[in-house]
Amino acid sequence: MVERNPNLAKLRAGYLFPEIARRKKAVIEENPEAKIISLGIGDTTEPLSGGIVSSLVEACRGMGTLEGYSGYGAEQGMGDLREKIAEKLYRGIVKPEEVYVSDGAKCDTGRLQVMFGAEATVAVQDPSYPVYVDGSVILGQTGGYNDDASQFDGIEYMRCDASNNFFPDLSALPRTDLIYFCSPNNPTGAVATKEQLKELIDFAKKNRSILIFDAAYSAYIEDPELPRSIFEVEGSREVALEINSFSKMAGFTGVRLGWSVVPQELKFEDGTPVSKDWNRVVTTLFNGASNLVQKGGLACLSDAGYSEVEEMIHYYKTNATIIKKALTEMGLEVYGGVNSPYCWARMEGKGSWEAFEEILTQAFVVTTPGAGFGPAGEGFVRFSSFGHRDDVEEAVERLRKHLG
Amino acid sequence: MVERNPNLAKLRAGYLFPEIARRKKAVIEENPEAKIISLGIGDTTEPLSGGIVSSLVEACRGMGTLEGYSGYGAEQGMGDLREKIAEKLYRGIVKPEEVYVSDGAKCDTGRLQVMFGAEATVAVQDPSYPVYVDGSVILGQTGGYNDDASQFDGIEYMRCDASNNFFPDLSALPRTDLIYFCSPNNPTGAVATKEQLKELIDFAKKNRSILIFDAAYSAYIEDPELPRSIFEVEGSREVALEINSFSKMAGFTGVRLGWSVVPQELKFEDGTPVSKDWNRVVTTLFNGASNLVQKGGLACLSDAGYSEVEEMIHYYKTNATIIKKALTEMGLEVYGGVNSPYCWARMEGKGSWEAFEEILTQAFVVTTPGAGFGPAGEGFVRFSSFGHRDDVEEAVERLRKHLG
């Protein structure tokens, strides 16, 4: 008989967000009258703006005409979209041919793990987006789960908490092949400075590691001093690649569009460009993002479209300000919420799943328990600012009432 | 420094279709006046029909409204689409919760390979769709490339040619964990009978193997005696899973939509349902097909939409009839082209890349060299019937002139 892949057996419970959805559903079943408000998963809620919808509609209509119909495109994405990403979002500091369009950062993370293979060793921020760890486990890059440590063996967890200003102590970190780093951070909302990223790059360079920089929330950075891309930092092209997405930038969580940037200078030990293997993985195991969706992405990056995108980002950031203000006034220790859509709050004296359950069952507000992002997230809860303004305001009132 | 994944180093040249695109581009550059006609990659060319376009447009417009906007959906797909696939395409022989909606069969193949892991052993039809082999190599399920055999070590190549009526001699086949089988076949156009599939299932059952049944061309079957799904065959639910796609059925090659079916009875040796691990892989490494595209898929499966889909399939099948007739009249030995969009022709006395080059440079017609699908494809060329009728007719005229 076929043996189960032992790596899948190593995983604990389900992937975090389906688990939260399950618990939410259970509360709804018990309280059918309750209006649940979600500040949980980072899921956009506001309609796409007119210009972007028009472009999508035009793309669909085109598919009904002989001239406008298109079939398979390049797996790496439409040339004009790759160019526009390089020009508009990177102001030319990366080349169009270094941009690989995808169906999202989560899927790209999985394909990157496939490319690096089972022997790659891994460091992640703790806490961090669960896919870095879960995907590494599935690909066999780790040992088993260590119940005492609440960690997987064979992964370096770089503790990022209030005590170190959410930037890891690199002096204590053993060498790994890969270092995942997310800024603005999911879940803590911390944004790394140029100096911190330079330190990270120097560390990767010294160790000959590859930095996987997750910039999925970069559009939320308004402080001009904070880098939006790792490629704004000197020396990055030899040690880093970047993943990014239209999800949180343009409200495309359901529409599905992302990209990666793999610079030509990034090489494996034998001199093979990483881009060569990335290209092979992308062309072999992926078939391109939907042509309709890519047209929508192009519309987001026109001057008019990008203004609409920025308006939407401003809307969610105002939500973040409201949430942060309320939590702070309630006496909680709160991080993030500036240059980032996430607030990260310490729930003094409570486990994070306990706090999650309490907020869910008492205030009918869905959050995300910090422990779901790694052991250092224990005792914290993440509040997402994605939501309708009315809902966010109501959620905040309920939180004041039940937790205040 | 980071070592290159040794499995990627095992691969030869590029993925087949980008390589063909490269050669086509070279011919265009040398002959800027020539009108190249493609009977190469199986890429749909006809516009989407009115009803399907309307649904896509409506979905896009909905995303611009508060009520119609949606963000992340279930990674496994929208409930109503899973139900419609089970009902319309499987007439209830599979359950909606056994259907996993995806962005296409190629991507699903990659994720299945990730799920089964590096230790899984593999058998493929020879010739076959290159992703089975290339993906298995990338995941570490094979040995290195064997230049003498033009095969990868550690893969069982099940020869399927005219001598065995394109069905493998199972009596000679060693046990493997996985058996990939595609019917209607890409590239040979062969369609397995119910008896043949029963034999395959019995073989898998006896060996406790898992059959990965690729039914991406099933919509081209009109003979009611031929099974469109492996699940029409008795005993399949304990040994098989199926992958399928809207690409060739509904002209969605660029739109991106597919699905897999993993029955509840399919289990690993330790009793773990395969669906449990599949669900974990899909939720962890994938984020669902585009919500816009899923609405389009739903439209294809309405009664009106499916009539439009069937009309389009009839169009391509008429192309196949035209191509098969011409090649046969030219004295070639031709297979497929019935219940399938592909004709598979022996190019007597020529290597298949040689024949490919000759047809490309003399007739300006792009085909696919059989050797690209595996060693048993050597000496054959695949003709795809996806194309505008005028182009197909002109291509056939040119072939008569240059090869006749």
Side-chain angles (χ1 to χ4, degrees):
Chain A
M1 260 172 118
V2 179
E3 302 232 14
R4 184 182 184 198
N5 180 346
N7 298 316
L8 274 152
K10 291 176 192 166
L11 290 170
R12 299 282 115 164
Y15 176 60
L16 176 62
F17 293 106
E19 173 62 21
I20 290 171
R22 199 187 60 70
R23 294 188 183 218
K24 175 181 165 186
K25 201 175 153 207
V27 170
I28 291 172
E29 277 165 12
E30 271 179 44
N31 304 273
E33 303 295 305
K35 185 196 164 197
I36 308 263
I37 299 174
S38 178
L39 306 180
I41 187 168
D43 192 7
T44 49
T45 56
E46 300 312 297
L48 300 185
S49 61
I52 296 163
V53 169
S54 298
S55 295
L56 285 167
V57 165
E58 197 188 323
C60 296
R61 288 208 194 289
M63 288 294 285
T65 68
L66 258 181
E67 316 72 45
Y69 182 82
S70 61
Y72 291 121
E75 290 92 345
Q76 305 91 337
M78 292 179 180
D80 46 0
L81 180 55
R82 301 173 81 185
E83 271 174 36
K84 199 73 190 170
I85 289 171
E87 173 210 320
K88 183 88 185 175
L89 298 176
Y90 292 92
R91 295 175 311 282
I93 61 171
V94 307
K95 300 186 188 80
E97 60 270 27
E98 296 174 327
V99 175
Y100 297 77
V101 176
S102 77
D103 59 335
K106 190 187 191 189
C107 314
D108 267 339
T109 303
R111 283 185 286 266
L112 283 168
Q113 289 160 340
V114 167
M115 176 181 74
F116 286 114
E119 300 306 315
T121 55
V122 170
V124 298
Q125 284 167 287
D126 178 19
S128 69
Y129 179 49
V131 172
Y132 310 148
V133 168
D134 288 6
S136 302
V137 172
I138 292 172
L139 264 293
Q141 296 165 347
T142 77
Y145 191 74
N146 183 326
D147 280 304
D148 295 333
S150 300
Q151 294 184 338
F152 285 93
D153 289 333
I155 293 190
E156 295 300 331
Y157 289 77
M158 308 183 289
R159 199 170 175 91
C160 294
D161 58 19
S163 76
N164 59 18
N165 208 13
F166 299 97
F167 189 79
D169 177 7
L170 297 175
S171 70
L173 186 71
R175 180 194 178 279
T176 57
D177 290 323
L178 308 178
I179 303 169
Y180 289 89
F181 196 90
C182 177
S183 175
N185 190 263
N186 176 12
T188 67
V191 189
T193 63
K194 196 168 253 185
E195 293 67 35
Q196 287 173 328
L197 293 183
K198 183 70 175 75
E199 190 184 331
L200 192 62
I201 285 167
D202 289 344
F203 176 78
K205 194 164 209 159
K206 188 189 76 186
N207 281 330
R208 298 171 171 271
S209 305
I210 289 177
L211 178 63
I212 300 177
F213 189 75
D214 182 347
Y217 298 91
S218 59
Y220 287 78
I221 296 178
E222 55 190 329
D223 182 340
E225 294 300 309
L226 295 170
R228 284 188 173 206
S229 164
I230 193 68
F231 299 115
E232 293 177 29
V233 184
E234 202 200 318
S236 55
R237 292 180 58 88
E238 291 79 20
V239 298
L241 59 85
E242 182 164 303
I243 48 185
N244 209 322
S245 168
F246 283 77
S247 288
K248 316 299 164 98
M249 176 177 89
F252 270 30
T253 48
V255 177
R256 311 304 315 138
L257 192 65
W259 74 90
S260 60
V261 177
V262 180
Q264 290 158 331
E265 291 88 336
L266 189 66
K267 300 210 164 92
F268 291 112
E269 191 181 10
D270 68 357
T272 305
V274 173
S275 60
K276 183 186 170 181
D277 282 356
W278 185 229
N279 195 65
R280 189 58 150 96
V281 166
V282 166
T283 54
T284 306
L285 301 178
F286 179 57
N287 232 335
S290 170
N291 50 11
L292 304 173
V293 170
Q294 290 191 69
K295 293 277 177 70
L298 208 48
C300 296
L301 300 182
S302 70
D303 288 344
Y306 202 69
S307 297
E308 296 173 338
V309 160
E310 284 182 318
E311 235 174 86
M312 201 188 290
I313 291 169
H314 181 72
Y315 181 91
Y316 293 127
K317 289 184 64 167
T318 305
N319 287 350
T321 305
I322 292 168
I323 295 167
K324 181 160 192 167
K325 181 165 178 283
L327 296 174
T328 306
E329 286 172 3
M330 286 157 59
L332 296 179
E333 191 183 324
V334 190
Y335 301 95
V338 184
N339 297 304
S340 158
Y342 294 127
C343 294
W344 182 246
R346 192 191 296 275
M347 309 306 288
E348 206 59 51
K350 284 173 202 153
S352 53
W353 278 104
E354 183 195 349
F356 164 85
E357 282 284 346
E358 193 180 307
I359 300 169
L360 177 58
T361 54
Q362 292 180 15
F364 296 122
V365 171
V366 181
T367 60
T368 310
F373 299 100
E378 186 51 271
F380 283 84
V381 159
R382 188 190 76 175
F383 294 84
S384 155
S385 67
F386 297 104
H388 302 316
R389 181 67 42 79
D390 289 354
D391 289 341
V392 168
E393 283 170 347
E394 187 179 335
V396 157
E397 282 318 301
R398 293 190 200 163
L399 292 173
R400 284 185 199 273
K401 189 173 152 201
H402 292 282
L403 292 180
Chain B
M1 258 171 121
V2 179
E3 302 230 14
R4 186 183 184 198
N5 180 346
N7 298 316
L8 273 153
K10 291 175 192 165
L11 290 168
R12 299 283 113 164
Y15 176 61
L16 176 62
F17 294 105
E19 173 62 22
I20 290 171
R22 199 187 59 73
R23 293 189 185 218
K24 174 181 166 187
K25 200 174 153 208
V27 170
I28 292 172
E29 277 165 11
E30 271 178 43
N31 305 272
E33 303 294 306
K35 184 195 164 195
I36 308 266
I37 298 175
S38 179
L39 305 180
I41 188 168
D43 192 7
T44 49
T45 55
E46 300 311 297
L48 300 185
S49 62
I52 296 164
V53 169
S54 297
S55 296
L56 284 168
V57 165
E58 199 188 321
C60 295
R61 288 207 194 287
M63 288 294 285
T65 68
L66 258 181
E67 316 73 45
Y69 182 81
S70 61
Y72 290 121
E75 290 92 344
Q76 305 91 336
M78 293 179 180
D80 47 0
L81 181 55
R82 300 173 82 184
E83 272 174 36
K84 199 73 191 170
I85 289 171
E87 172 211 319
K88 183 87 186 175
L89 298 176
Y90 291 92
R91 295 175 310 282
I93 60 171
V94 307
K95 300 185 188 79
E97 61 269 29
E98 296 174 328
V99 175
Y100 297 77
V101 176
S102 76
D103 59 334
K106 190 188 191 187
C107 313
D108 268 340
T109 303
R111 282 185 287 265
L112 283 168
Q113 289 160 339
V114 167
M115 177 182 72
F116 286 114
E119 300 307 314
T121 55
V122 170
V124 298
Q125 285 167 286
D126 178 19
S128 69
Y129 179 49
V131 172
Y132 311 148
V133 168
D134 288 7
S136 302
V137 173
I138 291 173
L139 264 293
Q141 297 165 345
T142 75
Y145 192 74
N146 183 325
D147 280 306
D148 295 335
S150 300
Q151 295 183 338
F152 284 92
D153 288 333
I155 293 190
E156 294 299 330
Y157 289 77
M158 308 183 289
R159 199 170 175 91
C160 294
D161 59 19
S163 75
N164 59 16
N165 208 12
F166 298 98
F167 189 79
D169 177 8
L170 297 175
S171 69
L173 186 70
R175 180 195 178 277
T176 57
D177 291 322
L178 308 178
I179 303 170
Y180 289 88
F181 196 90
C182 176
S183 174
N185 191 263
N186 175 13
T188 68
V191 188
T193 64
K194 196 169 251 186
E195 293 67 35
Q196 287 174 328
L197 293 184
K198 184 72 175 75
E199 191 184 329
L200 193 60
I201 285 168
D202 290 344
F203 176 78
K205 194 165 210 158
K206 190 189 74 185
N207 281 329
R208 299 171 170 268
S209 305
I210 290 177
L211 179 63
I212 299 176
F213 189 74
D214 183 349
Y217 298 91
S218 59
Y220 288 78
I221 296 179
E222 55 190 329
D223 183 340
E225 295 298 310
L226 294 170
R228 283 188 175 206
S229 164
I230 193 68
F231 300 115
E232 293 178 29
V233 185
E234 201 199 318
S236 55
R237 292 180 59 88
E238 290 80 18
V239 298
L241 60 85
E242 182 164 304
I243 48 185
N244 209 322
S245 166
F246 282 77
S247 288
K248 316 299 165 100
M249 177 177 89
F252 269 31
T253 48
V255 177
R256 310 305 313 139
L257 192 65
W259 74 91
S260 60
V261 177
V262 180
Q264 291 158 330
E265 291 88 336
L266 189 66
K267 299 208 163 93
F268 290 111
E269 190 181 11
D270 68 357
T272 306
V274 173
S275 60
K276 182 185 169 180
D277 283 356
W278 185 229
N279 195 65
R280 190 59 151 96
V281 167
V282 166
T283 54
T284 306
L285 301 178
F286 179 55
N287 231 335
S290 171
N291 50 11
L292 304 173
V293 170
Q294 291 191 68
K295 293 279 177 68
L298 206 49
C300 295
L301 300 183
S302 70
D303 287 345
Y306 202 69
S307 296
E308 296 174 338
V309 159
E310 284 183 317
E311 235 174 85
M312 201 188 289
I313 291 169
H314 180 73
Y315 181 91
Y316 293 127
K317 289 183 64 168
T318 306
N319 287 350
T321 306
I322 292 168
I323 295 166
K324 180 159 193 169
K325 180 164 178 283
L327 296 174
T328 306
E329 286 172 3
M330 286 157 58
L332 296 179
E333 191 183 323
V334 190
Y335 302 94
V338 184
N339 297 303
S340 158
Y342 294 127
C343 293
W344 182 244
R346 193 190 297 276
M347 308 308 287
E348 206 61 52
K350 282 173 202 153
S352 53
W353 279 104
E354 183 194 352
F356 164 86
E357 281 284 346
E358 191 179 311
I359 299 169
L360 176 58
T361 54
Q362 291 179 16
F364 296 123
V365 171
V366 180
T367 59
T368 309
F373 299 100
E378 185 51 270
F380 284 83
V381 159
R382 187 189 78 175
F383 294 84
S384 155
S385 68
F386 297 104
H388 303 316
R389 181 66 43 78
D390 288 356
D391 288 341
V392 168
E393 281 169 348
E394 188 179 333
V396 156
E397 282 318 301
R398 293 189 199 165
L399 292 172
R400 285 186 199 272
K401 189 170 152 202
H402 292 283
L403 293 180

